[in-house]
Amino acid sequence: MSQAADSFSGRFRRWARKRSIWVFHVNAASCNGCDIEILAALTPRYDAERFGVELVPSPRHADVLLVTGTVNAQMKDRLRDVYEQIPEPKHVVAIGACALGGGVMKGCYNVGHGIDKVIPVDLYIPGCPPRPEALLFGIIKLVTGEPPDRREE
Amino acid sequence: MNLTPLLVAEILLFPGLTFFVFMAFILEWLERKTAARVQGRRGPVVAGPFGIVQPVADFFKLSMKEEIVPEESDKFIMRWGPPLYFAAPAAGLVFVPVIALSALIQNQFDLFFMFFILSFTTLMASLLGYASAGRYSTVAVGRLVLQYSSYEIPMLLSMIVPAVLSGKLSLSGIVAAQSGHWFVLFAPVGFAVFIIAALAELEKPPFDIPSASTEIVGGWMTEFSGNTLAYVKLTKNLSYVFLSALSATLFLGGPQGPIFVSGAMAAVVLHTFYFTVKLLFVAFLIFAIRTALARVKIDQATRLFWTILTPLALVQLGVAVILGW
């Protein structure tokens, strides 16, 4: 870790980023299973707002992009567009088996095998669909752990 | 009027800018917490005790992010609009009495300046929305202007009521005329009309038509990011403080309270306490309504303001003229 990142302003900056995670959700050809689980994570029972997570309507407000579903040929460019509209620093979370590697669609002629073939992914949450606990576990990883450095691409 | 160093310090620090920005953060936290508790959730917990510094974390996180300015946008307005937009409620709040019965800056015709501030805020919002040149922002600005043309008349009419009752046009004069009997007792309808119009001015449900996230993405704020978004969001919260402070001043007696003590320091503390309690009461009223109700359609909102609230405000004004005689 560099000197600058350990200074007071650096620590403050990291604190602010960890405590305020605004997510934007993209359904990249998902079956809606994972999307329902994302919504469930925001409902009273799990309440992701406790950790400062907020679902924002515009990608320009977002810090974290939640992607569900296997990215098919039509969705690829749109997903890249949305990713590029999010201001830096940004993270991408891939949710569900399809987003990780194709899932049950693996081997189909028109599906991409995992969204990390299209945009860089920072956090993988497996499951078909993942339970809200798993989503919250991933969010807490982002909150308490060091946010993973964005890979250089 | 001469600017002494003490007055400058007061404007910048305690009853001025810093105090009201602090109140803006507190109000956002209270709003999120209340909404969460009504919905059976916890709201922000992790950031600070009871999540109280959550809005601060949001603000600084946004201000440290990259700022994307759309290619087709008007760069000049995108650059200088947000400071002007922020300045409007901040300038209005200086005229509100907090620590004493008279405000930091006052003149005979404060109330007209308040009218100007209220329209200027909406004007800057629509300018910013158009300047960002997004499709959703353009749709939202159309809705914003239509909503503004519906709620402005009842709002201004209800703001005239305290002026008629007190015979003064300055906020300090209106506060001074309310010792012992607050105007909400004589003008409950005017107070109600003002609160409903304030909901529309703040774009809160049931009048969040210009920023309906289920219909037009982020409303007129869709294209903003980074620093601009941080200041626009802070300004919306500051307008929240401004309107709560204005209704506390016009109808609830401002810093007036039941017990008065002699001694300068104690009077300052008591006045600030009464004012803050009233401001929080009005803000709480606004977010109780906000949490409980769903969005109305734009034609329903216009019909409500033009055919129900405007006649009510006019009747209230007539009653006030008779009472003030």
Side-chain angles (χ1 to χ4, degrees), chain B residues 122 125-126 129-130 135-151 200-201 203 206-220 295-299 301-302 305:
Chain B
T122 314
S126 44
Y130 267 136
R135 287 159 190 80
Y136 297 110
S137 333
T138 311
V139 173
V141 168
R143 290 175 173 212
L144 183 72
V145 172
L146 183 53
Q147 176 157 310
Y148 175 70
S149 65
S150 23
Y151 74 74
E201 160 94 24
E203 298 169 26
F207 305 112
D208 61 337
I209 299 158
S211 54
S213 60
T214 45
E215 294 169 16
I216 43 173
V217 189
W220 55 272
R295 183 165 56 243
V296 298
K297 287 194 291 184
I298 183 75
D299 60 316
T302 307
F305 280 113

mmCIF file of all heavy atoms in Angstrom, chain B residues 122 125-126 129-130 135-151 200-201 203 206-220 295-299 301-302 305:
data_model
loop_
_atom_site.group_PDB
_atom_site.id
_atom_site.type_symbol
_atom_site.label_atom_id
_atom_site.label_comp_id
_atom_site.label_asym_id
_atom_site.label_seq_id
_atom_site.Cartn_x
_atom_site.Cartn_y
_atom_site.Cartn_z
ATOM 1 N N THR B 122 -36.803 26.107 -8.907
ATOM 2 C CA THR B 122 -37.407 25.305 -9.970
ATOM 3 C C THR B 122 -36.834 25.675 -11.326
ATOM 4 O O THR B 122 -36.585 24.800 -12.158
ATOM 5 C CB THR B 122 -38.922 25.503 -9.970
ATOM 6 O OG1 THR B 122 -39.380 25.406 -8.628
ATOM 7 C CG2 THR B 122 -39.607 24.466 -10.804
ATOM 8 N N ALA B 125 -33.541 24.011 -11.662
ATOM 9 C CA ALA B 125 -33.707 22.566 -11.870
ATOM 10 C C ALA B 125 -34.060 22.282 -13.318
ATOM 11 O O ALA B 125 -33.483 21.379 -13.950
ATOM 12 C CB ALA B 125 -34.782 22.030 -10.934
ATOM 13 N N SER B 126 -34.984 23.085 -13.895
ATOM 14 C CA SER B 126 -35.378 22.800 -15.272
ATOM 15 C C SER B 126 -34.254 23.157 -16.240
ATOM 16 O O SER B 126 -34.030 22.446 -17.226
ATOM 17 C CB SER B 126 -36.668 23.539 -15.628
ATOM 18 O OG SER B 126 -36.633 24.847 -15.161
ATOM 19 N N GLY B 129 -31.820 20.308 -16.091
ATOM 20 C CA GLY B 129 -32.362 19.133 -16.773
ATOM 21 C C GLY B 129 -32.245 19.268 -18.284
ATOM 22 O O GLY B 129 -31.811 18.348 -18.965
ATOM 23 N N TYR B 130 -32.606 20.464 -18.814
ATOM 24 C CA TYR B 130 -32.500 20.665 -20.261
ATOM 25 C C TYR B 130 -31.054 20.659 -20.716
ATOM 26 O O TYR B 130 -30.723 20.112 -21.770
ATOM 27 C CB TYR B 130 -33.141 21.990 -20.656
ATOM 28 C CG TYR B 130 -34.581 21.862 -21.053
ATOM 29 C CD1 TYR B 130 -35.530 22.749 -20.611
ATOM 30 C CD2 TYR B 130 -34.988 20.834 -21.896
ATOM 31 C CE1 TYR B 130 -36.861 22.618 -20.962
ATOM 32 C CE2 TYR B 130 -36.311 20.689 -22.250
ATOM 33 C CZ TYR B 130 -37.239 21.587 -21.775
ATOM 34 O OH TYR B 130 -38.538 21.444 -22.128
ATOM 35 N N ARG B 135 -32.792 12.225 -22.898
ATOM 36 C CA ARG B 135 -34.198 12.094 -23.265
ATOM 37 C C ARG B 135 -35.085 12.107 -22.029
ATOM 38 O O ARG B 135 -36.094 12.814 -21.967
ATOM 39 C CB ARG B 135 -34.399 10.788 -24.027
ATOM 40 C CG ARG B 135 -33.848 10.843 -25.421
ATOM 41 C CD ARG B 135 -33.582 9.444 -25.955
ATOM 42 N NE ARG B 135 -32.831 9.499 -27.188
ATOM 43 C CZ ARG B 135 -31.518 9.671 -27.247
ATOM 44 N NH1 ARG B 135 -30.829 9.818 -26.123
ATOM 45 N NH2 ARG B 135 -30.893 9.715 -28.387
ATOM 46 N N TYR B 136 -34.692 11.349 -21.029
ATOM 47 C CA TYR B 136 -35.522 11.275 -19.827
ATOM 48 C C TYR B 136 -35.515 12.603 -19.089
ATOM 49 O O TYR B 136 -36.533 13.004 -18.523
ATOM 50 C CB TYR B 136 -35.023 10.152 -18.917
ATOM 51 C CG TYR B 136 -35.139 8.807 -19.572
ATOM 52 C CD1 TYR B 136 -34.022 8.098 -19.976
ATOM 53 C CD2 TYR B 136 -36.389 8.256 -19.797
ATOM 54 C CE1 TYR B 136 -34.139 6.877 -20.590
ATOM 55 C CE2 TYR B 136 -36.520 7.035 -20.411
ATOM 56 C CZ TYR B 136 -35.396 6.342 -20.803
ATOM 57 O OH TYR B 136 -35.522 5.139 -21.422
ATOM 58 N N SER B 137 -34.369 13.310 -19.095
ATOM 59 C CA SER B 137 -34.337 14.608 -18.414
ATOM 60 C C SER B 137 -35.297 15.573 -19.079
ATOM 61 O O SER B 137 -35.978 16.343 -18.407
ATOM 62 C CB SER B 137 -32.938 15.205 -18.445
ATOM 63 O OG SER B 137 -31.964 14.233 -18.535
ATOM 64 N N THR B 138 -35.377 15.533 -20.420
ATOM 65 C CA THR B 138 -36.259 16.454 -21.135
ATOM 66 C C THR B 138 -37.717 16.177 -20.786
ATOM 67 O O THR B 138 -38.485 17.102 -20.506
ATOM 68 C CB THR B 138 -36.032 16.310 -22.642
ATOM 69 O OG1 THR B 138 -34.628 16.371 -22.881
ATOM 70 C CG2 THR B 138 -36.708 17.409 -23.393
ATOM 71 N N VAL B 139 -38.091 14.897 -20.758
ATOM 72 C CA VAL B 139 -39.460 14.539 -20.381
ATOM 73 C C VAL B 139 -39.730 15.022 -18.958
ATOM 74 O O VAL B 139 -40.778 15.614 -18.654
ATOM 75 C CB VAL B 139 -39.658 13.015 -20.478
ATOM 76 C CG1 VAL B 139 -41.015 12.633 -19.932
ATOM 77 C CG2 VAL B 139 -39.508 12.549 -21.898
ATOM 78 N N ALA B 140 -38.743 14.815 -18.072
ATOM 79 C CA ALA B 140 -38.927 15.174 -16.666
ATOM 80 C C ALA B 140 -39.076 16.677 -16.500
ATOM 81 O O ALA B 140 -39.872 17.128 -15.673
ATOM 82 C CB ALA B 140 -37.743 14.673 -15.848
ATOM 83 N N VAL B 141 -38.334 17.464 -17.309
ATOM 84 C CA VAL B 141 -38.440 18.920 -17.174
ATOM 85 C C VAL B 141 -39.825 19.385 -17.614
ATOM 86 O O VAL B 141 -40.413 20.265 -16.989
ATOM 87 C CB VAL B 141 -37.326 19.611 -17.989
ATOM 88 C CG1 VAL B 141 -37.594 21.092 -18.090
ATOM 89 C CG2 VAL B 141 -36.001 19.382 -17.324
ATOM 90 N N GLY B 142 -40.388 18.761 -18.649
ATOM 91 C CA GLY B 142 -41.760 19.077 -19.036
ATOM 92 C C GLY B 142 -42.721 18.866 -17.888
ATOM 93 O O GLY B 142 -43.551 19.722 -17.572
ATOM 94 N N ARG B 143 -42.563 17.727 -17.235
ATOM 95 C CA ARG B 143 -43.426 17.425 -16.085
ATOM 96 C C ARG B 143 -43.185 18.409 -14.952
ATOM 97 O O ARG B 143 -44.123 18.857 -14.281
ATOM 98 C CB ARG B 143 -43.132 16.019 -15.576
ATOM 99 C CG ARG B 143 -43.576 14.928 -16.506
ATOM 100 C CD ARG B 143 -43.118 13.617 -15.952
ATOM 101 N NE ARG B 143 -43.651 12.500 -16.698
ATOM 102 C CZ ARG B 143 -43.933 11.327 -16.138
ATOM 103 N NH1 ARG B 143 -43.728 11.162 -14.848
ATOM 104 N NH2 ARG B 143 -44.396 10.350 -16.853
ATOM 105 N N LEU B 144 -41.903 18.755 -14.736
ATOM 106 C CA LEU B 144 -41.545 19.671 -13.640
ATOM 107 C C LEU B 144 -42.214 21.020 -13.833
ATOM 108 O O LEU B 144 -42.798 21.575 -12.894
ATOM 109 C CB LEU B 144 -40.028 19.821 -13.593
ATOM 110 C CG LEU B 144 -39.421 20.671 -12.491
ATOM 111 C CD1 LEU B 144 -39.537 19.950 -11.184
ATOM 112 C CD2 LEU B 144 -37.979 20.971 -12.784
ATOM 113 N N VAL B 145 -42.161 21.539 -15.072
ATOM 114 C CA VAL B 145 -42.720 22.859 -15.332
ATOM 115 C C VAL B 145 -44.236 22.830 -15.190
ATOM 116 O O VAL B 145 -44.840 23.740 -14.614
ATOM 117 C CB VAL B 145 -42.278 23.355 -16.723
ATOM 118 C CG1 VAL B 145 -43.000 24.623 -17.079
ATOM 119 C CG2 VAL B 145 -40.790 23.564 -16.745
ATOM 120 N N LEU B 146 -44.864 21.750 -15.683
ATOM 121 C CA LEU B 146 -46.327 21.637 -15.557
ATOM 122 C C LEU B 146 -46.710 21.575 -14.077
ATOM 123 O O LEU B 146 -47.637 22.251 -13.632
ATOM 124 C CB LEU B 146 -46.804 20.384 -16.290
ATOM 125 C CG LEU B 146 -48.304 20.168 -16.304
ATOM 126 C CD1 LEU B 146 -49.009 21.400 -16.823
ATOM 127 C CD2 LEU B 146 -48.661 18.979 -17.165
ATOM 128 N N GLN B 147 -45.959 20.780 -13.306
ATOM 129 C CA GLN B 147 -46.264 20.677 -11.881
ATOM 130 C C GLN B 147 -46.040 22.023 -11.197
ATOM 131 O O GLN B 147 -46.821 22.433 -10.346
ATOM 132 C CB GLN B 147 -45.375 19.600 -11.248
ATOM 133 C CG GLN B 147 -45.554 19.494 -9.762
ATOM 134 C CD GLN B 147 -45.141 18.153 -9.233
ATOM 135 O OE1 GLN B 147 -45.548 17.118 -9.745
ATOM 136 N NE2 GLN B 147 -44.309 18.149 -8.215
ATOM 137 N N TYR B 148 -44.972 22.730 -11.606
ATOM 138 C CA TYR B 148 -44.682 24.025 -10.996
ATOM 139 C C TYR B 148 -45.829 25.001 -11.253
ATOM 140 O O TYR B 148 -46.269 25.703 -10.348
ATOM 141 C CB TYR B 148 -43.379 24.591 -11.558
ATOM 142 C CG TYR B 148 -43.088 25.972 -11.054
ATOM 143 C CD1 TYR B 148 -42.741 26.175 -9.728
ATOM 144 C CD2 TYR B 148 -43.197 27.070 -11.881
ATOM 145 C CE1 TYR B 148 -42.506 27.436 -9.246
ATOM 146 C CE2 TYR B 148 -42.963 28.339 -11.408
ATOM 147 C CZ TYR B 148 -42.614 28.513 -10.096
ATOM 148 O OH TYR B 148 -42.400 29.764 -9.613
ATOM 149 N N SER B 149 -46.340 24.991 -12.506
ATOM 150 C CA SER B 149 -47.418 25.933 -12.807
ATOM 151 C C SER B 149 -48.674 25.574 -12.050
ATOM 152 O O SER B 149 -49.556 26.413 -11.887
ATOM 153 C CB SER B 149 -47.687 25.958 -14.308
ATOM 154 O OG SER B 149 -48.169 24.708 -14.716
ATOM 155 N N SER B 150 -48.806 24.326 -11.575
ATOM 156 C CA SER B 150 -50.011 24.022 -10.799
ATOM 157 C C SER B 150 -49.854 24.348 -9.320
ATOM 158 O O SER B 150 -50.799 24.831 -8.714
ATOM 159 C CB SER B 150 -50.439 22.561 -10.988
ATOM 160 O OG SER B 150 -49.404 21.764 -11.390
ATOM 161 N N TYR B 151 -48.683 24.100 -8.709
ATOM 162 C CA TYR B 151 -48.637 24.305 -7.261
ATOM 163 C C TYR B 151 -48.220 25.714 -6.872
ATOM 164 O O TYR B 151 -48.329 26.078 -5.711
ATOM 165 C CB TYR B 151 -47.720 23.273 -6.588
ATOM 166 C CG TYR B 151 -46.236 23.466 -6.767
ATOM 167 C CD1 TYR B 151 -45.550 24.472 -6.084
ATOM 168 C CD2 TYR B 151 -45.502 22.645 -7.603
ATOM 169 C CE1 TYR B 151 -44.201 24.658 -6.244
ATOM 170 C CE2 TYR B 151 -44.147 22.826 -7.774
ATOM 171 C CZ TYR B 151 -43.514 23.826 -7.088
ATOM 172 O OH TYR B 151 -42.181 24.011 -7.263
ATOM 173 N N ALA B 200 -45.054 19.127 -3.299
ATOM 174 C CA ALA B 200 -44.894 19.196 -4.750
ATOM 175 C C ALA B 200 -43.590 19.884 -5.119
ATOM 176 O O ALA B 200 -42.896 19.483 -6.044
ATOM 177 C CB ALA B 200 -46.081 19.929 -5.365
ATOM 178 N N GLU B 201 -43.243 20.946 -4.377
ATOM 179 C CA GLU B 201 -41.991 21.656 -4.658
ATOM 180 C C GLU B 201 -40.788 20.727 -4.445
ATOM 181 O O GLU B 201 -39.813 20.769 -5.187
ATOM 182 C CB GLU B 201 -41.892 22.885 -3.748
ATOM 183 C CG GLU B 201 -40.498 23.448 -3.561
ATOM 184 C CD GLU B 201 -40.171 24.563 -4.536
ATOM 185 O OE1 GLU B 201 -41.102 25.199 -5.021
ATOM 186 O OE2 GLU B 201 -38.968 24.782 -4.795
ATOM 187 N N GLU B 203 -40.733 17.538 -4.800
ATOM 188 C CA GLU B 203 -40.867 16.326 -5.613
ATOM 189 C C GLU B 203 -40.908 15.073 -4.754
ATOM 190 O O GLU B 203 -40.240 14.078 -5.031
ATOM 191 C CB GLU B 203 -39.715 16.215 -6.627
ATOM 192 C CG GLU B 203 -39.686 17.350 -7.608
ATOM 193 C CD GLU B 203 -38.411 17.355 -8.416
ATOM 194 O OE1 GLU B 203 -37.824 16.294 -8.572
ATOM 195 O OE2 GLU B 203 -38.023 18.432 -8.874
ATOM 196 N N PRO B 206 -46.891 12.240 -2.685
ATOM 197 C CA PRO B 206 -47.509 11.753 -3.928
ATOM 198 C C PRO B 206 -47.258 12.643 -5.147
ATOM 199 O O PRO B 206 -47.906 12.446 -6.151
ATOM 200 C CB PRO B 206 -48.993 11.774 -3.555
ATOM 201 C CG PRO B 206 -49.114 12.865 -2.563
ATOM 202 C CD PRO B 206 -47.849 12.868 -1.791
ATOM 203 N N PHE B 207 -46.365 13.617 -5.049
ATOM 204 C CA PHE B 207 -46.125 14.500 -6.201
ATOM 205 C C PHE B 207 -44.716 14.334 -6.758
ATOM 206 O O PHE B 207 -44.086 15.299 -7.151
ATOM 207 C CB PHE B 207 -46.357 15.958 -5.802
ATOM 208 C CG PHE B 207 -47.701 16.210 -5.208
ATOM 209 C CD1 PHE B 207 -47.838 16.540 -3.882
ATOM 210 C CD2 PHE B 207 -48.839 16.075 -5.982
ATOM 211 C CE1 PHE B 207 -49.079 16.753 -3.331
ATOM 212 C CE2 PHE B 207 -50.081 16.284 -5.435
ATOM 213 C CZ PHE B 207 -50.207 16.617 -4.102
ATOM 214 N N ASP B 208 -44.179 13.102 -6.758
ATOM 215 C CA ASP B 208 -42.832 12.919 -7.291
ATOM 216 C C ASP B 208 -42.883 12.649 -8.789
ATOM 217 O O ASP B 208 -42.101 11.871 -9.326
ATOM 218 C CB ASP B 208 -42.091 11.805 -6.554
ATOM 219 C CG ASP B 208 -42.785 10.471 -6.684
ATOM 220 O OD1 ASP B 208 -44.001 10.481 -6.950
ATOM 221 O OD2 ASP B 208 -42.132 9.431 -6.524
ATOM 222 N N ILE B 209 -43.813 13.333 -9.464
ATOM 223 C CA ILE B 209 -44.024 13.109 -10.894
ATOM 224 C C ILE B 209 -42.772 13.443 -11.720
ATOM 225 O O ILE B 209 -42.406 12.689 -12.612
ATOM 226 C CB ILE B 209 -45.243 13.923 -11.367
ATOM 227 C CG1 ILE B 209 -46.477 13.451 -10.592
ATOM 228 C CG2 ILE B 209 -45.481 13.774 -12.837
ATOM 229 C CD1 ILE B 209 -47.588 14.438 -10.541
ATOM 230 N N PRO B 210 -42.045 14.568 -11.446
ATOM 231 C CA PRO B 210 -40.866 14.855 -12.267
ATOM 232 C C PRO B 210 -39.681 13.933 -12.013
ATOM 233 O O PRO B 210 -38.750 13.921 -12.799
ATOM 234 C CB PRO B 210 -40.498 16.297 -11.873
ATOM 235 C CG PRO B 210 -41.684 16.835 -11.197
ATOM 236 C CD PRO B 210 -42.344 15.688 -10.551
ATOM 237 N N SER B 211 -39.672 13.182 -10.901
ATOM 238 C CA SER B 211 -38.524 12.307 -10.675
ATOM 239 C C SER B 211 -38.971 10.869 -10.440
ATOM 240 O O SER B 211 -38.369 10.153 -9.656
ATOM 241 C CB SER B 211 -37.711 12.813 -9.478
ATOM 242 O OG SER B 211 -38.550 12.946 -8.362
ATOM 243 N N ALA B 212 -40.059 10.478 -11.127
ATOM 244 C CA ALA B 212 -40.605 9.137 -10.914
ATOM 245 C C ALA B 212 -39.654 8.083 -11.450
ATOM 246 O O ALA B 212 -39.490 7.941 -12.652
ATOM 247 C CB ALA B 212 -41.957 9.037 -11.611
ATOM 248 N N SER B 213 -39.006 7.336 -10.538
ATOM 249 C CA SER B 213 -37.952 6.430 -11.009
ATOM 250 C C SER B 213 -38.527 5.201 -11.691
ATOM 251 O O SER B 213 -37.808 4.519 -12.415
ATOM 252 C CB SER B 213 -37.058 6.025 -9.845
ATOM 253 O OG SER B 213 -37.817 5.375 -8.872
ATOM 254 N N THR B 214 -39.825 4.911 -11.475
ATOM 255 C CA THR B 214 -40.377 3.758 -12.176
ATOM 256 C C THR B 214 -40.821 4.117 -13.584
ATOM 257 O O THR B 214 -41.158 3.241 -14.363
ATOM 258 C CB THR B 214 -41.583 3.200 -11.410
ATOM 259 O OG1 THR B 214 -42.408 4.292 -11.022
ATOM 260 C CG2 THR B 214 -41.140 2.433 -10.197
ATOM 261 N N GLU B 215 -40.861 5.418 -13.924
ATOM 262 C CA GLU B 215 -41.346 5.817 -15.245
ATOM 263 C C GLU B 215 -40.250 6.434 -16.107
ATOM 264 O O GLU B 215 -40.061 6.054 -17.252
ATOM 265 C CB GLU B 215 -42.487 6.840 -15.102
ATOM 266 C CG GLU B 215 -43.724 6.253 -14.461
ATOM 267 C CD GLU B 215 -44.718 7.323 -14.085
ATOM 268 O OE1 GLU B 215 -44.591 8.443 -14.573
ATOM 269 O OE2 GLU B 215 -45.613 7.012 -13.280
ATOM 270 N N ILE B 216 -39.515 7.405 -15.544
ATOM 271 C CA ILE B 216 -38.557 8.136 -16.380
ATOM 272 C C ILE B 216 -37.161 8.080 -15.770
ATOM 273 O O ILE B 216 -36.493 9.094 -15.593
ATOM 274 C CB ILE B 216 -39.011 9.600 -16.590
ATOM 275 C CG1 ILE B 216 -39.519 10.190 -15.286
ATOM 276 C CG2 ILE B 216 -40.055 9.703 -17.655
ATOM 277 C CD1 ILE B 216 -39.819 11.660 -15.379
ATOM 278 N N VAL B 217 -36.705 6.861 -15.410
ATOM 279 C CA VAL B 217 -35.354 6.610 -14.899
ATOM 280 C C VAL B 217 -35.069 7.534 -13.709
ATOM 281 O O VAL B 217 -35.701 7.395 -12.670
ATOM 282 C CB VAL B 217 -34.316 6.753 -16.019
ATOM 283 C CG1 VAL B 217 -32.952 6.273 -15.537
ATOM 284 C CG2 VAL B 217 -34.712 5.923 -17.204
ATOM 285 N N GLY B 218 -34.164 8.481 -13.834
ATOM 286 C CA GLY B 218 -33.816 9.297 -12.668
ATOM 287 C C GLY B 218 -34.434 10.680 -12.694
ATOM 288 O O GLY B 218 -33.959 11.562 -12.013
ATOM 289 N N GLY B 219 -35.475 10.899 -13.510
ATOM 290 C CA GLY B 219 -36.032 12.242 -13.616
ATOM 291 C C GLY B 219 -35.034 13.179 -14.264
ATOM 292 O O GLY B 219 -34.232 12.763 -15.103
ATOM 293 N N TRP B 220 -35.057 14.459 -13.862
ATOM 294 C CA TRP B 220 -34.146 15.413 -14.490
ATOM 295 C C TRP B 220 -32.721 15.223 -14.007
ATOM 296 O O TRP B 220 -31.805 15.873 -14.508
ATOM 297 C CB TRP B 220 -34.621 16.842 -14.288
ATOM 298 C CG TRP B 220 -34.853 17.255 -12.870
ATOM 299 C CD1 TRP B 220 -36.004 17.114 -12.168
ATOM 300 C CD2 TRP B 220 -33.913 17.838 -11.992
ATOM 301 N NE1 TRP B 220 -35.841 17.580 -10.904
ATOM 302 C CE2 TRP B 220 -34.572 18.033 -10.765
ATOM 303 C CE3 TRP B 220 -32.573 18.227 -12.106
ATOM 304 C CZ2 TRP B 220 -33.938 18.590 -9.660
ATOM 305 C CZ3 TRP B 220 -31.951 18.778 -11.007
ATOM 306 C CH2 TRP B 220 -32.626 18.956 -9.813
ATOM 307 N N ARG B 295 -47.837 7.634 -5.817
ATOM 308 C CA ARG B 295 -47.789 8.735 -6.770
ATOM 309 C C ARG B 295 -49.130 8.934 -7.479
ATOM 310 O O ARG B 295 -49.781 7.970 -7.852
ATOM 311 C CB ARG B 295 -46.696 8.450 -7.785
ATOM 312 C CG ARG B 295 -46.496 9.552 -8.783
ATOM 313 C CD ARG B 295 -45.188 9.394 -9.509
ATOM 314 N NE ARG B 295 -45.073 8.108 -10.143
ATOM 315 C CZ ARG B 295 -44.167 7.206 -9.840
ATOM 316 N NH1 ARG B 295 -43.294 7.426 -8.909
ATOM 317 N NH2 ARG B 295 -44.104 6.060 -10.480
ATOM 318 N N VAL B 296 -49.510 10.214 -7.655
ATOM 319 C CA VAL B 296 -50.694 10.519 -8.453
ATOM 320 C C VAL B 296 -50.246 10.834 -9.871
ATOM 321 O O VAL B 296 -49.057 11.044 -10.132
ATOM 322 C CB VAL B 296 -51.470 11.712 -7.872
ATOM 323 C CG1 VAL B 296 -51.973 11.401 -6.496
ATOM 324 C CG2 VAL B 296 -50.626 12.953 -7.863
ATOM 325 N N LYS B 297 -51.235 10.857 -10.804
ATOM 326 C CA LYS B 297 -50.897 11.219 -12.175
ATOM 327 C C LYS B 297 -50.806 12.727 -12.291
ATOM 328 O O LYS B 297 -51.333 13.463 -11.456
ATOM 329 C CB LYS B 297 -51.966 10.680 -13.131
ATOM 330 C CG LYS B 297 -51.898 9.188 -13.302
ATOM 331 C CD LYS B 297 -52.710 8.736 -14.486
ATOM 332 C CE LYS B 297 -54.174 8.924 -14.236
ATOM 333 N NZ LYS B 297 -55.010 8.419 -15.331
ATOM 334 N N ILE B 298 -50.167 13.205 -13.366
ATOM 335 C CA ILE B 298 -49.932 14.646 -13.486
ATOM 336 C C ILE B 298 -51.241 15.413 -13.613
ATOM 337 O O ILE B 298 -51.396 16.498 -13.036
ATOM 338 C CB ILE B 298 -48.954 14.946 -14.652
ATOM 339 C CG1 ILE B 298 -48.639 16.432 -14.746
ATOM 340 C CG2 ILE B 298 -49.486 14.454 -15.979
ATOM 341 C CD1 ILE B 298 -47.718 16.923 -13.693
ATOM 342 N N ASP B 299 -52.238 14.828 -14.326
ATOM 343 C CA ASP B 299 -53.503 15.555 -14.465
ATOM 344 C C ASP B 299 -54.244 15.593 -13.135
ATOM 345 O O ASP B 299 -54.904 16.589 -12.816
ATOM 346 C CB ASP B 299 -54.361 14.925 -15.562
ATOM 347 C CG ASP B 299 -54.690 13.486 -15.253
ATOM 348 O OD1 ASP B 299 -53.770 12.774 -14.819
ATOM 349 O OD2 ASP B 299 -55.846 13.073 -15.437
ATOM 350 N N ALA B 301 -52.776 15.699 -10.195
ATOM 351 C CA ALA B 301 -52.102 16.694 -9.364
ATOM 352 C C ALA B 301 -52.540 18.095 -9.763
ATOM 353 O O ALA B 301 -52.874 18.924 -8.910
ATOM 354 C CB ALA B 301 -50.589 16.552 -9.518
ATOM 355 N N THR B 302 -52.584 18.358 -11.082
ATOM 356 C CA THR B 302 -52.978 19.687 -11.550
ATOM 357 C C THR B 302 -54.400 20.007 -11.132
ATOM 358 O O THR B 302 -54.705 21.104 -10.668
ATOM 359 C CB THR B 302 -52.835 19.758 -13.077
ATOM 360 O OG1 THR B 302 -51.519 19.347 -13.404
ATOM 361 C CG2 THR B 302 -53.045 21.145 -13.579
ATOM 362 N N PHE B 305 -54.558 20.870 -7.435
ATOM 363 C CA PHE B 305 -54.047 22.191 -7.063
ATOM 364 C C PHE B 305 -54.939 23.307 -7.585
ATOM 365 O O PHE B 305 -55.164 24.288 -6.901
ATOM 366 C CB PHE B 305 -52.622 22.375 -7.585
ATOM 367 C CG PHE B 305 -51.615 21.707 -6.707
ATOM 368 C CD1 PHE B 305 -50.887 20.629 -7.154
ATOM 369 C CD2 PHE B 305 -51.404 22.154 -5.412
ATOM 370 C CE1 PHE B 305 -49.974 20.011 -6.343
ATOM 371 C CE2 PHE B 305 -50.487 21.541 -4.595
ATOM 372 C CZ PHE B 305 -49.767 20.470 -5.060
#
